[in-house]
């Protein structure tokens, strides 16, 4: 099994630990990348990194640069990757789900809390 | 003229004086022999006053020819039917030398003597008497005609004898014929006993002073019915003594009845008018009241003499229209009605009444009344007090405004409540979902991870509690309508805020430059204003410039009835292109540094919106931020 790369964009530190711990339990070989707002991941992607996440889990409400801003910038930028982008938000607002559908690059809108079932499903797409 | 000398009278010697007397009285003696048809005249020089036509031959037949054709038959017949020793009187006209006819009166006695039929007597020229008589008859006839036509009675009262000559509509008015009416005593008897004494008293008075007699009395008719009579007469006097009275009587019963009915209806009308609670006044074309009720001048706050214009108006008296503007006298309904010649209706007049020191609201109608020539005759004006209705309208209006305001408030509250619910669901959902994830992990992981999970759960719980505390603050703001506004001085409020922040300000060397000269005072809840200034200032402190000398500039301004507060710093600024919507959101921070939790500005916005006011922000990254707060309805 190739080692998968999972990227998480979320301003809550505890969530990073939570996701990472869950991912490690499913597949210990996964690589985990942490970003705390949209700007960080954008800058990372623009820097032509060696490692690009297979899966990007994206929170919406974040300081400095929200998930929405990231999506707008990324969709309009020259940077193109083959990431599966999942919105992972504590929002259950239907309007957010509608808004998310406008972005074709978004694979799915997932509400928190995160479940290992979801992670397994997301990872299995690359097995 | 040939004098007949062969007369038996002429044969007698008459005393000269008798002749003279007869001559003066224009009387001649004569003897007519009906058998021989010879006539003898008393021969005398004085005969000249009988100027028979020259054709007269001195014979009876010649005389008969001179008699007026209209009288001939009557004279002839009278002479044919004579009885012995009987006097006859014959009035007849005889042709005179000048071609006129003179009235002669022959009075004679019929005798028979020696087989002859004799008529002996006098002939007198009565032309003058007859003329007067005819003239009087003529007058009487005319009088009667006039009296009849006028439906009145004309009388001629001879004071000495007490007799009265009645003419005119006597029978019709008094029900008695002229003969039945009789003299003064009869007239007096028929006057109503209650009026009799006063009527006679008036008569005596007028008679003694030769003044016009003018009375009203009730007169009893045959059927016992009394009629009201108007009686007016004038005296004819001789040497200052009343001789006759000529007068006129008319039946005024109907007139008096209708006058009484009119008076009654006028009285009824007046009492109706005076009991109305609507003021009514009738004005002539010069705006002078000709009739009015008490309510009219009472409502207008005038005395009656002020109302009719005989007393000066009170200086304090004034009128405003429904907009509260002073009403010019030419815009009052009556002059308008006279000027425009049409009804002016439903004019609202707010009259200040100096007498009662209050303002009354009147609804005034003015309507023109025209005469038969279509010329303006009067203006009738009604004044209705609708102060009570006006007050009710005002209360209703106020209630409506309150209702609108409270509806708006409810809408605002609903909006905020929805927003709050979203904030709650989001901000509490986030830590709870973390806790859920962590506890899941706890049951599926090793000991080391379990410890870590529990420790994180603690952290998340602590944050969640802080969030709940923050939300509580927001809730308190949203109950702000229980907070009372007070008059506050910006300077005082800022001083106490600076006092609180003194340490942070001096740590970062921040200079606060405040000038409230243009609008030093505001009506606001003290806690709100303090919190607004506190949060704006702490926002400026948090994000103050690290390169420049940090400065905060605060100004106020008055525009119309609003106060505007400008709060400017030269700090880090906010990228509005990215964060405009998020500035005042709950739990938003835009900077990675520092202790920002993003509740302060949310609170500020909430308080300002609770008061119905507005906050705007203008900012440039690394240049600074200006908050502009518009406090509405500060000056009313």
């Amino acid at each position: 099994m190739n080692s998968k790369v999972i990227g998480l964009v979320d301003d809550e530190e505890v969530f990073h630990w939570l996701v990472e711990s869950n991912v490690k339990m499913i597949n210990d070989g996964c690589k985990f990348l942490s970003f705390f707002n949209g700007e960080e991941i954008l800058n990372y992607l623009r820097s032509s990194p060696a490692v690009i996440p297979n899966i990007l889990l994206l929170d919406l409400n974040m300081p400095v640069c929200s998930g929405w801003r990231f999506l707008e910038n990324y969709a309009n930028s020259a940077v193109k990757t083959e990431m599966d982008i999942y919105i992972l938000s504590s929002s259950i607002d239907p309007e957010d789900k509608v808004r998310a559908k406008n972005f074709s690059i978004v694979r799915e809108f997932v509400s928190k809390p995160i479940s290992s079932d979801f992670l397994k499903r997301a990872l299995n797409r690359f097995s | 003229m040939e004098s007949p000398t062969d007369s038996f009278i002429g044969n007698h010697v008459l005393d000269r004086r008798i002749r003279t007397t007869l001559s003066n009285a224009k009387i001649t003696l004569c003897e007519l022999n009906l058998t021989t048809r010879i006539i003898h005249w008393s021969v005398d020089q004085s005969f000249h006053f009988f100027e028979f036509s020259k054709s007269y031959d001195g014979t009876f037949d010649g005389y008969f020819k001179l008699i007026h054709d209209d009288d001939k038959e009557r004279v002839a017949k009278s002479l044919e039917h004579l009885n012995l020793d009987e006097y006859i009187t014959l009035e007849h006209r005889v042709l005179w030398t000048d071609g006129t006819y003179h009235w002669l009166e022959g009075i004679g006695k019929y005798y028979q003597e020696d087989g002859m039929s004799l008529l002996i007597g006098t002939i007198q020229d009565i032309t003058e008497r007859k003329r007067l008589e005819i003239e009087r008859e003529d007058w009487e006839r005319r009088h009667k005609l006039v009296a009849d036509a006028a439906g009145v009675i004309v009388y001629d009262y001879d004071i000495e004898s007490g007799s009265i000559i009645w003419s005119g509509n006597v029978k019709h008015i008094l029900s008695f014929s002229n003969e039945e009416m009789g003299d003064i005593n009869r007239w007096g008897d028929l006057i109503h006993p209650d009026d009799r004494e006063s009527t006679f008293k008036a008569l005596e008075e007028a008679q003694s002073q030769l003044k016009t007699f003018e009375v009203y009395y009730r007169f009893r008719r045959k059927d016992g019915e009394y009629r009201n009579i108007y009686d007016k007469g004038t005296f004819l006097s001789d040497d200052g003594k009343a001789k006759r009275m000529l007068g006129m009587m008319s039946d005024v019963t109907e007139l008096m009845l209708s006058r009484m009915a009119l008076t009654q209806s006028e009285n009824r009308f007046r009492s109706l008018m005076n009991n109305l609670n609507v003021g009514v006044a009738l004005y002539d074309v010069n705006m002078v009241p000709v009739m009015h009720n008490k309510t009219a001048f009472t409502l207008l706050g005038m005395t009656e003499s002020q109302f009719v214009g005989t007393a000066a108006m009170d200086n304090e008296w004034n009128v405003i229209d429904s907009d509260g503007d002073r009403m010019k006298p030419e815009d009052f309904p009556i002059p308008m009605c006279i000027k425009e010649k049409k009804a002016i209706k439903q004019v609202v007049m707010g009259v200040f009444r100096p007498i009662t020191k209050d303002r009354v609201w009147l609804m005034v109608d003015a309507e023109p009344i025209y005469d038969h020539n279509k010329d303006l005759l009067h203006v009738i004006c009604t004044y209705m007090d609708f102060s009570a209705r006006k007050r009710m309208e005002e209360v209703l209006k106020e209630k409506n405004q309150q209702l609108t305001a409270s509806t708006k408030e409810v809408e605002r509250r609903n909006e905020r409540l929805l927003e709050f619910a979203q904030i709650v669901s989001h901000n509490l959902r986030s830590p709870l979902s973390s806790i859920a994830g962590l506890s899941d992990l706890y049951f599926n992981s090793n000991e080391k991870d379990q410890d870590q999970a529990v420790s994180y759960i603690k952290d998340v719980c602590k944050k969640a509690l802080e969030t709940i505390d923050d939300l509580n603050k927001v809730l308190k703001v949203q109950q702000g309508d229980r907070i009372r506004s007070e008059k506050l001085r910006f300077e005082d409020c800022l001083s106490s805020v600076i006092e609180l922040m003194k340490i942070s300000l001096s740590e970062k060397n921040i200079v606060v430059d405040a000038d409230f000269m243009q609008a030093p005072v505001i009506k606001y809840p003290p806690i709100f204003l303090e919190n607004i200034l506190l949060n704006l200032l702490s926002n400026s402190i948090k994000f103050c410039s690290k390169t420049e000398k940090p400065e905060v500039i605060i100004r106020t301004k008055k525009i119309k009835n609003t106060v505007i507060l400008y709060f400017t710093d030269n700090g880090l600024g906010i990228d509005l292109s990215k964060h405009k919507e998020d500035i005042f959101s709950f739990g938003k921070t835009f900077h990675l540094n520092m202790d920002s939790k993003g509740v302060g500005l949310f609170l500020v916005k909430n308080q300002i919106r609770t008061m119905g006011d507005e906050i705007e922000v203008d900012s440039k990254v690394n240049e600074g931020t200006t908050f502009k707060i518009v406090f509405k309805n500060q000056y009313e």
Side-chain angles (χ1 to χ4, degrees):
Chain A
M1 199 192 264
N2 294 330
S3 71
K4 313 284 189 322
V5 180
I6 295 180
L8 174 65
V9 190
D10 198 307
D11 60 331
E12 292 281 339
E13 201 192 319
V14 60
F15 200 65
H16 287 259
W17 184 79
L18 187 62
V19 173
E20 193 178 353
S21 305
N22 268 307
V23 167
K24 290 274 158 66
M25 280 199 297
I26 297 161
N27 186 340
D28 204 23
C30 278
K31 191 170 165 50
F32 189 79
L33 295 175
S34 273
F35 306 95
F36 288 88
N37 61 53
E39 208 167 282
E40 285 183 13
I41 173 73
L42 270 176
N43 289 341
Y44 177 78
L45 293 174
R46 282 187 191 124
S47 64
S48 311
V51 180
I52 287 181
N54 302 103
I55 296 166
L56 189 70
L57 305 174
L58 181 68
D59 188 19
L60 288 175
N61 293 307
M62 288 175 289
V64 183
C65 177
S66 71
W68 298 120
R69 285 201 70 78
F70 164 75
L71 286 171
E72 283 161 15
N73 277 300
Y74 179 68
N76 297 329
S77 72
V79 185
K80 285 286 172 275
T81 59
E82 304 252 320
M83 293 189 295
D84 276 359
I85 299 176
Y86 295 90
I87 288 176
L88 192 60
S89 169
S90 53
S91 168
I92 48 167
D93 191 338
E95 271 184 41
D96 282 343
K97 290 188 178 169
V98 171
R99 195 174 165 191
K101 282 222 168 90
N102 292 333
F103 293 95
S104 57
I105 47 172
V106 173
R107 183 159 191 85
E108 206 177 316
F109 190 105
V110 182
S111 289
K112 287 180 185 177
I114 192 163
S115 68
S116 26
D117 286 348
F118 161 70
L119 285 172
K120 276 177 198 159
R121 180 155 56 83
L123 285 167
N124 280 342
R125 281 177 43 82
F126 297 95
S127 48
Chain B
M1 186 192 288
E2 189 182 343
S3 301
T5 52
D6 192 20
S7 74
F8 106 94
I9 294 172
N11 293 336
H12 290 79
V13 179
L14 285 172
D15 185 74
R16 193 166 191 81
R17 268 177 286 176
I18 294 173
R19 286 176 190 275
T20 309
T21 307
L22 287 172
S23 169
N24 286 345
K26 297 190 177 182
I27 295 174
T28 185
L29 304 175
C30 79
E31 181 199 276
L32 172 61
N33 189 323
L34 289 167
T35 312
T36 61
R37 302 194 76 80
I38 293 169
I39 190 164
H40 294 283
W41 300 94
S42 59
V43 184
D44 195 78
Q45 294 92 327
S46 61
F47 196 63
H48 70 269
F49 63 80
F50 269 43
E51 295 175 7
F52 295 138
S53 174
K54 289 208 164 66
S55 61
Y56 180 51
D57 56 5
T59 64
F60 176 70
D61 291 326
Y63 182 77
F64 193 80
K65 278 180 190 158
L66 296 177
I67 292 174
H68 195 282
D69 287 344
D70 290 355
D71 299 338
K72 270 181 181 143
E73 197 185 334
R74 182 164 49 85
V75 171
K77 262 197 184 143
S78 299
L79 294 178
E80 276 167 27
H81 301 92
L82 293 170
N83 297 317
L84 263 183
D85 294 336
E86 189 190 40
Y87 281 102
I88 65 157
T89 301
L90 269 174
E91 285 181 359
H92 56 283
R93 283 162 283 182
V94 176
L95 187 65
W96 233 240
T97 47
D98 59 3
T100 61
Y101 282 94
H102 271 226
W103 275 99
L104 301 183
E105 182 188 53
I107 302 170
K109 198 175 178 184
Y110 180 60
Y111 295 92
Q112 289 212 330
E113 201 181 83
D114 307 331
M116 304 274 193
S117 298
L118 297 172
L119 188 63
I120 302 172
T122 60
I123 293 180
Q124 185 178 10
D125 186 339
I126 56 163
T127 307
E128 187 60 17
R129 196 181 87 196
K130 200 73 186 171
R131 191 179 63 76
L132 286 172
E133 218 168 72
I134 288 167
E135 199 169 313
R136 183 167 166 182
E137 266 173 21
D138 224 34
W139 270 111
E140 268 180 10
R141 204 171 61 242
R142 275 186 232 159
H143 255 134
K144 189 174 164 23
L145 278 172
V146 172
D148 279 351
V152 298
I153 298 164
V154 173
Y155 59 82
D156 182 347
Y157 162 44
D158 183 79
I159 292 159
E160 204 179 340
S161 67
S163 68
I164 300 173
I165 299 164
W166 299 93
S167 66
N169 247 343
V170 183
K171 179 91 182 170
H172 179 72
I173 295 172
L174 303 179
S175 81
F176 297 100
S177 66
N178 293 5
E179 294 70 37
E180 286 172 321
M181 275 308 300
D183 63 4
I184 187 79
N185 293 327
R186 171 73 172 153
W187 167 77
D189 286 345
L190 290 165
I191 292 175
H192 192 286
D194 293 352
D195 298 342
R196 202 175 292 147
E197 198 188 322
S198 59
T199 306
F200 272 97
K201 204 176 154 206
L203 181 63
E204 276 162 32
E205 219 175 272
Q207 186 181 326
S208 67
Q209 298 172 22
L210 295 175
K211 283 199 322 193
T212 304
F213 164 72
E214 185 173 12
V215 283
Y216 288 92
Y217 52 80
R218 284 161 289 173
F219 183 93
R220 185 159 54 82
R221 284 159 60 104
K222 255 184 200 167
D223 55 9
E225 186 200 348
Y226 280 98
R227 304 293 292 179
N228 291 82
I229 301 295
Y230 168 67
D231 193 334
K232 186 176 180 179
T234 47
F235 288 93
L236 301 179
S237 63
D238 188 4
D239 283 342
K241 194 164 178 279
K243 289 280 177 201
R244 281 162 67 199
M245 179 172 73
L246 300 179
M248 185 210 82
M249 283 160 69
S250 58
D251 185 344
V252 293
T253 310
E254 306 305 328
L255 189 72
M256 279 178 101
L257 280 176
S258 62
R259 202 175 277 171
M260 219 151 74
L262 192 70
T263 310
Q264 266 175 9
S265 99
E266 201 176 301
N267 284 343
R268 273 202 302 271
F269 178 63
R270 278 189 186 280
S271 83
L272 179 75
M273 256 181 58
N274 281 330
N275 289 317
L276 280 179
N277 54 10
V278 172
V280 183
L282 189 69
Y283 297 84
D284 66 14
V285 286
N286 299 315
M287 290 187 272
V288 176
V290 291
M291 192 166 75
H292 61 274
N293 64 358
K294 188 168 178 285
T295 318
F297 61 82
T298 311
L299 278 181
L300 285 167
M302 301 177 188
T303 62
E304 190 159 18
S305 42
Q306 282 173 336
F307 183 76
V308 298
T310 54
M313 288 298 296
D314 199 301
N315 282 334
E316 282 184 283
W317 190 87
N318 66 67
V319 180
I320 55 172
D321 62 20
S322 53
D323 295 332
D325 296 330
R326 194 63 83 94
M327 218 167 166
K328 281 178 276 171
E330 60 262 37
D331 293 336
F332 288 0
I334 300 159
M336 285 282 277
C337 179
I338 292 170
K339 192 177 143 210
E340 313 243 324
K341 296 207 177 349
K342 64 169 194 194
I344 305 292
K345 297 213 160 197
Q346 310 227 321
V347 179
V348 173
M349 293 173 82
V351 179
F352 179 76
R353 304 189 286 194
I355 297 167
T356 41
K357 300 251 177 277
D358 61 358
R359 192 173 289 285
V360 67
W361 286 96
L362 302 181
M363 181 76 83
V364 185
D365 284 1
E367 207 149 343
I369 295 172
Y370 302 100
D371 63 12
H372 58 279
N373 287 328
K374 302 257 161 56
D375 286 333
L376 188 65
L377 188 65
H378 288 123
V379 174
I380 188 152
C381 198
T382 58
Y383 304 91
M384 201 185 71
D385 181 358
F386 76 113
S387 303
R389 215 170 76 191
K390 175 105 178 157
R391 269 197 296 279
M392 252 162 66
E393 261 171 28
E394 269 161 16
V395 168
L396 209 65
K397 209 161 135 192
E398 202 180 307
K399 288 255 190 269
N400 234 333
Q401 276 169 355
Q402 281 174 2
L403 200 68
T404 312
S406 56
T407 307
K408 270 195 186 147
E409 176 57 28
V410 166
E411 276 171 10
R412 271 214 304 265
R413 268 187 190 220
N414 243 339
E415 207 176 281
R416 286 202 304 268
L417 217 59
L418 194 68
E419 196 181 86
F420 187 73
Q422 281 170 353
I423 291 164
V424 169
S425 77
H426 182 264
N427 286 275
L428 289 182
R429 218 181 168 277
S430 175
L432 279 174
S433 61
S434 294
I435 291 166
L438 289 167
S439 43
D440 260 357
L441 190 79
Y442 179 87
F443 291 111
N444 299 322
S445 59
N446 56 36
E447 205 170 303
K448 184 185 152 241
D449 281 355
Q450 282 182 339
D451 287 350
Q452 183 61 51
V454 170
S455 152
Y456 272 128
I457 286 173
K458 273 188 184 166
D459 282 356
V460 173
C461 281
K462 195 176 157 227
K463 269 193 187 166
L465 281 173
E466 280 171 14
T467 304
I468 288 169
D469 286 348
D470 287 343
L471 289 171
N472 240 340
K473 282 185 202 163
V474 176
L475 263 187
K476 274 184 187 153
V477 171
Q478 294 192 343
Q479 289 165 342
D481 41 12
R482 285 188 216 143
I483 294 168
R484 286 174 56 93
S485 287
E486 289 171 23
K487 260 198 174 172
L488 304 172
R489 292 174 52 80
F490 281 111
E491 208 177 318
D492 299 345
C493 199
L494 184 69
S495 301
S496 58
V497 168
I498 288 175
E499 183 63 29
L500 279 173
M501 312 286 280
K502 168 164 83 175
I503 296 162
S504 316
L505 285 169
S506 63
E507 261 177 12
K508 298 196 173 178
N509 271 321
I510 296 173
V511 176
V512 177
D513 166 14
D515 184 348
F516 302 114
M517 281 298 284
Q518 291 199 41
V521 178
I522 186 185
K523 279 185 289 177
Y524 226 61
I527 302 166
F528 280 16
L529 186 61
E530 201 165 294
N531 188 60
I532 289 165
L533 291 174
L534 186 82
N535 277 296
L536 292 181
L537 194 57
S538 83
N539 191 66
S540 293
I541 292 169
K542 271 183 212 162
F543 307 119
C544 74
S545 173
K546 281 164 189 143
T547 52
E548 278 182 70
K549 191 169 181 283
E551 197 179 23
V552 172
I553 299 167
I554 311 171
R555 296 283 184 273
T556 53
K557 208 162 145 186
K558 180 193 163 193
I559 294 179
K560 286 181 181 171
N561 66 340
T562 64
V563 169
I564 299 173
L565 175 79
Y566 295 96
F567 196 104
T568 308
D569 65 40
N570 58 350
L572 299 179
I574 306 157
D575 185 350
L576 289 176
S577 65
K578 290 183 185 171
H579 302 300
K580 191 155 176 83
E581 289 167 26
D582 300 331
I583 293 167
F584 300 105
S585 296
F586 186 86
K588 290 285 174 179
T589 56
F590 318 101
H591 302 278
L592 286 173
N593 56 347
M594 305 153 264
D595 45 357
S596 58
K597 272 196 297 177
V599 177
L601 290 180
F602 178 78
L603 269 178
V604 167
K605 170 116 181 173
N606 253 277
Q607 286 171 329
I608 289 168
R609 277 173 53 192
T610 297
M611 297 306 291
D613 299 328
E614 279 169 20
I615 182 164
E616 290 168 23
V617 65
D618 189 19
S619 184
K620 269 188 184 161
V621 176
N622 294 326
E623 282 184 23
T625 307
T626 296
F627 288 97
K628 175 186 171 190
I629 304 174
V630 181
F631 299 102
K632 295 177 181 169
N633 304 321
Q634 287 295 322
Y635 307 96
E636 274 149 49

